[in-house]
Amino acid sequence: MVAEQGGPEDQKPQSDEARSAFAPPAGVDKPAAHGEDDHPTSEFALPPGLHTDPSAPGAGTGGGSGSDTLTSAFVPPRAYSAQHAPPAFTPAHGSPMIRLTKEAPWQDRMRTMLRMPVTERPAPESIQKTDDTGPAVPRVLDLTLRIGELLLAGGEGAEDVEAAMFAVTRSYGLDRCEPTVTFTLLSISHQPSLVDDPVTASRTVRRRGTDYTRLAAVFRLVDDITTEDVEVSLEDAYGRLAEIRRNRHPYAGWVLTCAAGLLAGAASVLVGGGALVFIVAAAGAMLGDRLAWLCAGRGLPEFYQFLVAAMPPAAMGVLLTLTHSTDIRPSAVITGGLFALLPGRALVAGVQDGLTGYYITAAARLLEVMYFFIGIVTGVLLILYLGVQLGVGLNPEARFVAVDRPVIQILASMALSLAFAVLLQQERSTVLMVTLNGGVAWIIYGAMARTGEISPVAATAVAAGLVGLFGQLFSRYRYTSSLPFITAAIGPLLPGSATYFGLLGVAQGELDAGLASLSTAVATALAIAIGVNLGSEISRLFMRVPGAVGGAGRRAAKRTRGF
């Protein structure tokens, strides 16, 4: 007999034996009645108040009729855009306000942004106008990569390259962009929204050359893009970038060769040489420069170019030794040639990248410096070893004279910095500042190392620190890169003499003395690089954090402990 349908008490099983294991429990097909705590429910049933339809009232928003309405994890969130951003949570202590106006150089502003956590970065303020649909993301990313390529190829530090790329994307209104810089690869990723797929682009730097005039032009372009008073559309930016690429170098090839001769001659006078030594050292450096140009035209790698360029100055010094003249210092001739070849620019950039946390780029640049240095060492050692086998009496004990000609040596240091600036293809308007900066560096070094009898390595570090400090001040005055004001000014501080005497000791079989002198050269080179970076950081200590309000502290460099 079939029981009549009645109330819930008629449907409720009386015991566990009355419930079938294969029968669907009550509540799957029919909703459970309210007020029955012991009624079985299905784990697949939707709880009350849960909406699966995004268009339903209160779906995905926590609204609805009840205040405790649940949201489903399977409901896709609403798309996020910088123009229609939802209300964000603001902590009780507030967030530091950063205005992207031209109250400080864009390098400092963007460096501050890069060193902030992603969650604390303010939304971008579009400085350049775009259409109603927003910026053309692929074109903005391509322009950003091309600008970064020119900066990295010109020898700019990795952090400043990332700052420039970050500044371009934010100026055109792209939020959530992350640039990445390595030694030969640039990449940038842009995520349109929290639910959209990111857009990533990359570019490989295959050719690198030294042209600080082009570097300054790129900095001016980035400065105009990040300035509200100057309107630079994407088409204008592409046009200016193409014009920068097409511009010829400010100095011809023969001018560069003469500058190499002037640099070597000034360096020889700086370490005690006379007029004849100046002429011989200049001739050797010019011959080596021409041979290096010939090797470059034949497609030989830079290692062999440095090797060939180092041989003529060393040969000139060996030939002068055969004259047995006491007034001629062959060591000064060889040292002058080494000054013209030591890769100070790449060394400073490599150490700077390491100190700011870009270890892959720093390791690659320092490895490049090591290869260049090995090429120079090989070229000089071949000539010195040949001279030793021919019986040429090279004297490793013939150290240079002390500072007894301060006026001449100061003028020689300024001439060396001037020649170095020409070799770096700097703008003519910056040459005078660099020349004065190089003279100041040598005065500080001479006063500490020669007059004060302080360690040469420590004196070099202090002089390089002042060079970095003045270089940063000059760059902020002109809103450009600091490299043109720093690299040439450290020329008089390069360890040319220590390198020569170390190589001479190795060539004559005196490994202990030779390796000790080479260790001094390496320590001096590191002191230069660290001093330059420290001077730059000290200059920022006395500058207000760009846009910070409420006493916000200065962020540490990337990939550090964050203090």
Side-chain angles (χ1 to χ4, degrees), residues 506-518:
V506 173
Q508 292 182 337
E510 301 177 0
L511 295 180
D512 293 339
L515 293 178
S517 186
L518 288 177

Side-chain angles (χ1 to χ4, degrees), residues 17-256:
E17 291 78 5
R19 184 184 303 119
S20 174
F22 300 96
V28 174
D29 297 329
K30 296 181 180 180
H34 297 286
E36 297 185 358
D37 298 334
D38 57 347
H39 194 285
T41 58
S42 172
E43 59 179 341
F44 301 101
L46 297 178
L50 180 63
H51 301 279
T52 58
D53 185 9
S55 61
T61 61
S65 57
S67 59
D68 56 347
T69 303
L70 300 177
T71 58
S72 174
F74 302 98
V75 177
R78 294 177 297 175
Y80 172 82
S81 62
Q83 290 78 13
H84 306 285
F89 170 75
T90 302
H93 55 79
S95 299
M97 182 183 67
I98 294 183
R99 294 178 55 83
L100 297 181
T101 56
K102 194 171 181 179
E103 58 184 8
W106 63 264
Q107 300 100 305
D108 286 347
R109 289 179 280 154
M110 294 302 110
R111 187 182 290 108
T112 301
M113 298 291 294
L114 284 173
R115 293 181 179 183
M116 292 178 62
V118 178
T119 56
E120 297 182 11
R121 294 176 184 173
E125 301 175 8
S126 299
I127 296 183
Q128 301 300 329
K129 296 180 180 180
T130 56
D131 53 14
D132 296 336
T133 60
V137 175
R139 297 198 66 193
V140 173
L141 297 184
D142 180 70
L143 175 67
T144 302
L145 289 174
R146 292 178 183 272
I147 290 177
E149 177 190 10
L150 286 180
L151 293 176
L152 188 62
E156 189 62 67
E159 187 177 30
D160 287 332
V161 176
E162 280 196 3
M165 297 171 64
F166 197 68
V168 174
T169 55
R170 291 184 68 87
S171 298
Y172 285 105
L174 294 187
D175 195 9
R176 293 179 299 277
C177 286
E178 288 297 332
T180 304
V181 177
T182 57
F183 184 53
T184 58
L185 181 65
L186 299 168
S187 63
I188 187 169
S189 178
H190 167 64
Q191 189 173 8
S193 68
L194 297 178
V195 296
D196 292 333
D197 295 331
V199 180
T200 304
S202 62
R203 192 172 184 88
T204 302
V205 180
R206 302 191 181 277
R207 292 184 60 86
R208 289 175 289 116
T210 304
D211 189 344
Y212 282 175
T213 300
R214 178 178 297 175
L215 190 69
V218 177
F219 265 73
R220 283 192 293 269
L221 173 60
V222 178
D223 185 61
D224 291 341
I225 291 176
T226 57
T227 302
E228 295 179 347
D229 300 335
V230 181
E231 182 177 353
V232 182
S233 63
L234 286 175
E235 290 74 15
D236 296 337
Y238 269 106
R240 291 180 58 177
L241 201 61
E243 184 179 357
I244 292 173
R245 287 180 175 273
R246 288 193 302 265
N247 282 347
R248 298 175 59 88
H249 298 302
Y251 307 104
W254 66 270
V255 177
L256 300 180

Side-chain angles (χ1 to χ4, degrees), residues 362-430:
R365 282 181 165 170
L366 293 178
L367 184 63
E368 180 188 40
V369 171
M370 185 188 73
Y371 272 104
F372 291 164
F373 188 75
I374 292 176
I376 297 171
V377 167
T378 304
V380 175
L381 274 180
L382 287 176
I383 300 300
L384 293 181
Y385 183 77
L386 180 61
V388 171
Q389 295 301 316
L390 295 177
V392 178
L394 295 171
N395 185 12
E397 301 298 331
R399 302 294 176 176
F400 301 127
V401 296
V403 179
D404 54 358
R405 304 178 302 174
V407 177
I408 294 178
Q409 289 183 325
I410 291 174
L411 294 177
S413 65
M414 296 175 66
L416 192 153
S417 300
L418 172 64
F420 208 165
V422 174
L423 288 175
L424 294 174
Q425 300 280 1
Q426 292 191 196
E427 293 180 305
R428 294 178 175 88
S429 59
T430 64

Side-chain angles (χ1 to χ4, degrees), residues 289-300:
D289 183 75
R290 285 292 92 190
L291 291 177
W293 278 85
L294 181 62
C295 294
R298 295 294 184 269
L300 291 178

